[in-house]
């Protein structure tokens, strides 16, 4: 009789386990989403995202400094404008809050930190949709592309190293790439939210940025249907063909199959967005003492890397980076 198989042999000590680990998680693999609000004197806590605030430009600079010191790989900015309008003009106005914040971060950090800007209209439109509306209330894909192109140029001019279109309009990456190139911003990176699903997990984010979709609407005519998997292959391939430098899957934990597929489907860097609801669920359960929040965060972020992500956008970035460093 043969001896029994003993996979446990390699799990005996923590030194052996570390040696054979297939996946690593380091601060440099994390990108912190940050909110910056216009016309506010003081940072304001976001109740549904414990530990996160709507920053002033000054408090944003302090936060980015702390993230940089912790070795976090980058930050991605979201704006909270004072005024919204039908066309979301705050998204592409040179005086818009994200453009103001980007200029300040460039002065302070130059290229020491990778500064990204989410590129969308929803925080800036009075109706809360990611694009402009036609007379019949539907989102007008091609009219929206012109505004995304303007936003990309405004963000690049203000100093964003990476622009991240998140609106799921067809052709958005191509439109942004040609506008950037035409204006000479050939080095600005495009990180495309390629496989972005219409998800109930964005709830806390919408509170964070004060977005409410008019008439009880939703984003199902532009974001993907969570029943679909193959569709994400096509979305990612189209984005890469149009010039995406990095592609993203969002949310993360409920779409690890998609992440794993895209790792095989495209050869550009791949990331995943561990979204607001994913963060808040862990925080809420941990606050009850039902789970160990930090351990669950490490497990989830590592699982996202295991499934194929090169890096992860996460509200845990600072907390987990500091834990990994200690
Ligand atoms: C759209 C955008 C959203 C998120 C990132 N970019 C909201 C949406 O699609 O409704 C959600 C992020 C999160 O939940 O953490 N600009």
């Amino acid at each position: 009789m043969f001896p029994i198989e003993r996979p446990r042999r390699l799990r005996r000590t923590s030194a052996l386990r570390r040696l054979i680990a297939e996946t690593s998680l380091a601060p440099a693999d994390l990108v912190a989403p940050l909110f910056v609000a216009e016309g506010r004197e003081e940072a304001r806590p976001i109740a549904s995202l414990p530990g996160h605030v709507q920053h002033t430009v000054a408090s944003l600079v302090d936060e980015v400094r702390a993230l940089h010191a912790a070795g976090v790989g980058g930050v991605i900015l979201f704006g909270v404008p004072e005024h919204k309008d039908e066309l979301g003009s705050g998204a592409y106005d040179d005086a818009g809050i994200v453009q103001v914040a980007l200029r300040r971060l460039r002065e302070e950090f130059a290229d020491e930190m990778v500064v990204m800007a989410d590129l969308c209209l929803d925080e800036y439109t009075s109706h809360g949709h990611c694009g402009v509306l036609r007379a019949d209330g539907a989102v007008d894909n091609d009219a929206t592309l012109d505004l995304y192109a303007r936003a990309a140029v405004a963000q690049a001019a203000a100093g964003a190293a990476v622009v991240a279109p998140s609106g799921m309009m067809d052709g958005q990456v191509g439109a942004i790439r040609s506008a950037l190139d035409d204006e000479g911003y050939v080095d600005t990176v495009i990180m495309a939210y390629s496989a972005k699903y219409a998800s109930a997990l964005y709830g806390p984010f919408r509170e964070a940025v004060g977005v409410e979709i008019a008439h009880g609407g939703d984003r199902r005519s532009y974001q993907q249907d969570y029943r679909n998997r193959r569709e994400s292959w096509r979305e990612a391939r189209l984005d890469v063909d149009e010039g995406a430098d990095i592609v993203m899957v969002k949310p993360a934990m409920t779409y690890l199959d998609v992440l794993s597929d895209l790792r095989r489907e495209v050869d550009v860097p791949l990331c995943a967005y561990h979204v607001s609801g994913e963060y808040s669920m862990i925080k809420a359960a941990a606050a009850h003492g039902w789970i160990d929040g930090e351990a669950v965060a490490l497990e989830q972020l590592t699982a996202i890397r295991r499934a194929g992500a090169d890096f992860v956008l996460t509200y845990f970035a600072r907390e987990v980076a500091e834990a990994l460093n200690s």
Side-chain angles (χ1 to χ4, degrees):
M1 198 189 129
F2 291 110
I4 62 170
E5 291 285 337
R6 295 198 185 273
R8 285 186 56 203
R9 199 177 279 143
L10 288 172
R11 297 182 200 134
R12 191 174 57 83
T13 71
S14 91
L16 267 170
R17 293 193 293 272
R18 188 181 62 180
L19 178 69
I20 62 146
E22 298 171 30
T23 309
S24 62
L25 184 71
D29 304 324
L30 308 175
V31 170
L34 299 172
F35 303 99
V36 58
E38 190 171 39
R40 183 149 310 135
E41 303 278 297
E42 269 176 56
R44 191 171 85 184
I46 302 162
S48 58
L49 286 175
H52 285 269
V53 299
Q54 289 184 352
H55 282 287
T56 63
V57 174
S59 73
L60 178 76
V61 170
D62 293 341
E63 181 64 18
V64 174
R65 193 170 290 116
L67 290 161
H68 181 253
V72 165
V75 298
I76 181 163
L77 301 191
F78 294 90
V80 184
E82 239 179 331
H83 307 289
K84 305 186 188 224
D85 57 40
E86 282 283 304
L87 299 179
S89 60
Y92 40 89
D93 185 337
D94 286 328
I97 182 61
V98 162
Q99 284 68 261
V100 169
L102 285 168
R103 266 184 234 109
R104 187 77 188 82
L105 293 178
R106 177 135 295 269
E107 264 171 37
E108 202 70 31
F109 303 100
D111 279 321
E112 283 292 298
M113 188 67 167
V114 180
V115 176
M116 311 179 170
D118 180 81
L119 196 170
C120 198
L121 298 186
D122 65 316
E123 291 95 343
Y124 307 92
T125 51
S126 40
H127 44 75
H129 277 291
C130 296
V132 292
L133 303 185
R134 293 195 312 229
D136 66 1
V139 172
D140 185 334
N141 191 89
D142 297 10
T144 299
L145 296 184
D146 296 335
L147 301 183
Y148 286 179
R150 287 176 63 183
V153 170
Q155 292 175 340
V162 180
V163 298
S166 63
M168 291 298 283
M169 295 301 130
D170 292 336
Q172 61 183 13
V173 172
I176 288 167
R177 185 73 271 161
S178 19
L180 288 170
D181 289 353
D182 286 350
E183 295 297 321
Y185 297 107
V186 295
D187 288 329
T188 304
V189 170
I190 298 179
M191 177 172 84
Y193 287 68
S194 296
K196 177 173 179 181
Y197 284 84
S199 170
L201 291 162
Y202 307 148
F205 174 94
R206 296 198 187 145
E207 184 197 318
V209 293
V211 167
E212 213 171 307
I213 307 175
H215 315 299
D218 59 52
R219 307 205 191 290
R220 287 179 214 185
S221 79
Y222 39 104
Q223 298 179 347
Q224 285 180 243
D225 185 324
Y226 58 68
R227 291 171 292 195
N228 298 343
R229 177 171 177 171
R230 293 189 302 270
E231 199 179 30
S232 65
W233 310 348
R234 181 148 184 261
E235 286 283 1
R237 278 196 306 258
L238 284 169
D239 282 355
V240 171
D241 288 348
E242 289 176 28
D245 300 290
I246 302 173
V247 303
M248 188 202 293
V249 173
K250 176 186 176 187
M253 294 307 295
T254 31
Y255 301 90
L256 293 183
D257 55 339
V258 173
L259 198 53
S260 161
D261 288 352
L262 293 198
R263 183 62 298 166
R264 278 186 293 266
E265 199 65 36
V266 299
D267 58 6
V268 299
L270 176 64
C271 64
Y273 198 144
H274 188 256
V275 300
S276 59
E278 299 180 275
Y279 173 85
S280 300
M281 289 194 293
I282 296 175
K283 284 288 174 190
H288 280 285
W290 294 338
I291 60 172
D292 174 341
E294 189 179 300
V296 173
L298 275 173
E299 182 177 335
Q300 292 199 359
L301 297 175
T302 305
I304 294 163
R305 294 254 306 136
R306 190 193 64 226
D310 294 304
F311 61 93
V312 188
L313 286 74
T314 171
Y315 300 92
F316 280 111
R318 181 168 171 184
E319 188 179 332
V320 164
E322 287 174 350
L324 290 170
N325 292 332
S326 68

